[in-house]
Amino acid sequence: MANLCEGRVAIVTGAARGVGKENALLLAKEGAKVVVNDLGGAVDGTGADTTPAQVVANEIIAGGGEAVVNGDDVSSWDGAKNMIDQAIDTYGSLDILVNNAGILRDRMLVNMTEEEWDSVIQVHLKGTFAPSRHAAAYWRQKNKDTGEPANGRIVNTTSTSGIYGNMGQTNYGAAKAGIAAFTIIAARELRRIGVTVNAISPSAYTRMTEGLREMTEEEIAVRAPSWVSPAVVYLCSQEAEDLTGRIIQAGGGMVAVCEGWRRGAEMDQMADPSELGPHLRKMCESVRKNSGMDGMELD
Ligand SMILES: NC(=O)c1ccc[n+]([C@@H]2O[C@H](COP(=O)([O-])OP(=O)(O)OC[C@H]3O[C@@H](n4cnc5c(N)ncnc54)[C@H](O)[C@@H]3O)[C@@H](O)[C@H]2O)c1
């Protein structure tokens, strides 16, 4: 069988370790030339070091593939542009953008600092927007110049924290829910130039999640970040040209397609809040709860 991404040029952000590393390795195994982006900071985003990204690039090259390192901060407008330009200058095109870089600054809302909020929103949300924006401009120009579909792929990285809600992560969850919405809107906008936009919600044992709870060897093995990458790589492939606007959970023993917000119980509008109240309650009782709402009723 032919490689799924033969000759395609891919950028994977945050590819020095964890899920991003496995995405980069599998894309390379499937024939893609890879720009291995990573700022190389700590899990909270502090610091910078391109050595881990170089290790991943070396591993790809040692396996017979092609890779270069990029050390830009994905949340910098100019850095993101530089990263897109580097792919095009080095390999002659850009076909795939996997927005994976991320940090954590967990804190309960009552104690969260402005800095904890801003840094997480910055890296995840702007770090998805800025590279996507520059890549989209490149693909739109390509589409104009050739009259052909640009055949681009964006795979973003969301989280169950954003789509279902996790306590202690209002900053991270809001950013990740924003990424899910961004994915759907960008998919609708870029469809006409032949670019798909999807998002992965990973479940993986990485430095980001290793401290969350004790796990057995088997539990860790089933959460190896490499289990996330097959879905990512398929969405990046030429074959997946008709799959767009989807949020896919992957890793930890399963792959699942997420279903989004739907309008539930409905009634005609009412001007009087006291009159509206009982009807609103009845409707809330008749629909499925949002994830995590069990036990939230006040005594
Ligand atoms: N591990 C999980 O179970 C899980 C669950 C849900 C979502 N995610 C998401 O998956 C992605 C990867 O997470 P991971 O678990 O592999 O974590 P990780 O910490 O192992 O990897 C994240 C990488 O992103 C890089 N990075 C951070 N800020 C950057 C920036 N501004 N520019 C460039 N690179 C930057 C880091 O240096 C790091 O190498 C993240 O977006 C994370 O939020 C992970």
Side-chain angles (χ1 to χ4, degrees):
M1 228 163 51
N3 287 332
L4 274 177
C5 298
E6 197 58 53
R8 308 261 285 161
V9 179
I11 295 173
V12 182
T13 73
R17 52 174 77 77
V19 175
K21 174 181 177 179
E22 298 302 331
N23 290 342
L25 293 177
L26 193 56
L27 279 165
K29 195 169 166 214
E30 290 291 341
K33 301 164 190 169
V34 185
V35 176
V36 179
N37 159 271
D38 208 292
L39 191 60
V43 80
D44 68 357
T46 53
D49 176 13
T50 54
T51 320
Q54 191 61 58
V55 171
V56 175
N58 291 349
E59 190 173 333
I60 291 172
I61 293 162
E66 289 186 59
V68 286
V69 168
N70 171 280
D72 282 306
D73 175 351
V74 289
S75 69
S76 145
W77 179 256
D78 293 341
K81 174 81 166 69
N82 185 55
M83 177 176 74
I84 302 296
D85 288 348
Q86 187 182 341
I88 298 161
D89 294 347
T90 309
Y91 296 124
S93 92
L94 174 68
D95 306 298
I96 294 164
L97 171 64
V98 180
N99 288 311
N100 162 85
I103 63 167
L104 276 186
R105 297 277 177 96
D106 291 0
R107 189 87 62 197
M108 285 301 198
L109 176 61
V110 287
N111 291 321
M112 187 170 290
T113 64
E114 185 181 6
E115 206 277 330
E116 286 164 342
W117 174 269
D118 286 347
S119 57
V120 167
I121 298 291
Q122 171 84 9
V123 171
H124 288 278
L125 215 40
K126 191 165 173 198
T128 297
F129 160 68
S132 300
R133 161 67 176 75
H134 296 304
Y138 166 74
W139 284 322
R140 189 190 51 181
Q141 194 58 48
K142 189 172 174 187
N143 170 253
K144 266 190 185 163
D145 292 347
T146 63
E148 301 284 328
N151 216 358
R153 301 281 180 272
I154 296 177
V155 177
N156 296 321
T157 309
T158 183
S159 167
T160 54
S161 185
I163 54 182
Y164 305 139
N166 246 3
M167 296 224 291
Q169 296 190 319
T170 50
N171 53 357
Y172 179 76
K176 290 304 204 186
I179 289 172
F182 176 96
T183 299
I184 292 164
I185 296 166
R188 294 178 69 174
E189 290 187 11
L190 300 181
R191 193 182 199 123
R192 68 193 63 149
I193 60 166
V195 174
T196 69
V197 190
N198 293 285
I200 287 283
S201 174
S203 182
Y205 187 83
T206 66
R207 71 173 187 174
M208 202 180 256
T209 54
E210 64 191 354
L212 292 182
R213 68 174 175 89
E214 287 270 311
M215 281 196 207
T216 63
E217 298 259 305
E218 279 131 57
E219 284 176 313
I220 292 173
V222 87
R223 285 169 182 75
S226 55
W227 286 111
V228 177
S229 306
V232 174
V233 170
Y234 186 77
L235 291 171
C236 291
S237 73
Q238 306 257 34
E239 280 186 22
E241 64 183 355
D242 54 340
L243 287 181
T244 196
R246 296 293 185 175
I247 313 296
I248 311 282
Q249 266 184 262
M254 54 83 203
V255 177
V257 183
C258 297
E259 296 181 328
W261 291 105
R262 296 270 175 282
R263 197 186 303 183
E266 184 179 342
M267 57 180 258
D268 287 343
Q269 57 197 1
M270 278 185 178
D272 180 349
S274 309
E275 210 184 316
L276 173 72
H279 293 285
L280 195 54
R281 290 183 156 278
K282 230 185 198 157
M283 286 195 297
C284 286
E285 281 157 20
S286 74
V287 299
R288 282 206 288 177
K289 288 178 179 170
N290 294 337
S291 165
M293 283 178 76
D294 287 323
M296 264 178 54
E297 298 81 7
L298 300 173
D299 294 329

